[in-house]
Amino acid sequence: MSVNGRPIELVLDARKLLVDVLREDLGLTGTHIGCEQGSCGACTVLVDGRPVRSCIMLGVQAEGCDVTTVEGITPEDGLNPMQQAFKDHHGLQCGFCTPGFLTTLAGVTPDAYPDEESVRELLSGNLCRCTGYEGILDAVLAAWGRDR
């Protein structure tokens, strides 16, 4: 597989989850482990450009795939526009859920979510216990150049 654009070769236990491969074997701890059932979205990564819950995907299933973590969407010289919008619009508090939100958002086309209601539905797949979602919604709309 490749992870964040780097080819990776590993021998894995067939039962090891992708989230554990990323965190334990590759040291990419930006992908968080939340519910361990695929419900909360904290572990979201991109697999071949699509958002996937890495806590319910086996590492061996990523063979031949391109995996992108939150570390892979972050430019070396600072923050990407969505990350900056989260910062500017108070879209995070404790930050535990933030990598999952950011990775989910990096894997979608903004045009597929043309109004506030559709953006709210997109965000509903990621759980946050701190913010109340308003700052997150404001950040997404701002990053996508939309008014609320």
Side-chain angles (χ1 to χ4, degrees):
M1 76 177 105
S2 84
V3 178
N4 298 332
R6 253 186 42 226
I8 303 291
E9 287 190 34
L10 296 169
V11 176
L12 299 175
D13 180 317
R15 298 168 295 177
K16 192 165 195 172
L17 297 170
L18 180 58
V19 70
D20 295 323
V21 171
L22 296 170
R23 292 179 60 81
E24 296 169 9
D25 297 330
L26 302 178
L28 297 170
T29 58
T31 302
H32 293 158
I33 301 170
C35 68
E36 298 183 79
Q37 298 175 359
S39 299
C40 75
C43 68
T44 303
V45 298
L46 302 178
V47 177
D48 293 335
R50 299 185 63 210
V52 170
R53 307 294 200 220
S54 63
C55 75
I56 57 172
M57 179 177 181
L58 296 171
V60 295
Q61 290 177 290
E63 183 176 4
C65 295
D66 180 31
V67 177
T68 305
T69 67
V70 70
E71 291 92 345
I73 64 169
T74 304
E76 289 184 26
D77 61 349
L79 303 175
N80 69 34
M82 186 63 73
Q83 291 168 318
Q84 187 63 51
F86 265 64
K87 179 180 176 188
D88 294 344
H89 294 273
H90 310 289
L92 60 122
Q93 283 182 0
C94 81
F96 188 82
C97 65
T98 306
F101 274 105
L102 293 170
T103 307
T104 296
L105 291 161
V108 300
T109 304
D111 293 343
Y113 302 91
D115 55 32
E116 185 176 323
E117 183 179 330
S118 64
V119 174
R120 283 182 183 275
E121 186 162 329
L122 168 65
L123 297 176
S124 71
N126 292 76
L127 301 179
C128 175
R129 297 177 189 266
C130 300
T131 66
Y133 297 93
E134 294 306 308
I136 295 169
L137 180 61
D138 290 343
V140 173
L141 294 173
W144 287 352
R146 300 183 192 160
D147 292 326
R148 188 157 183 207

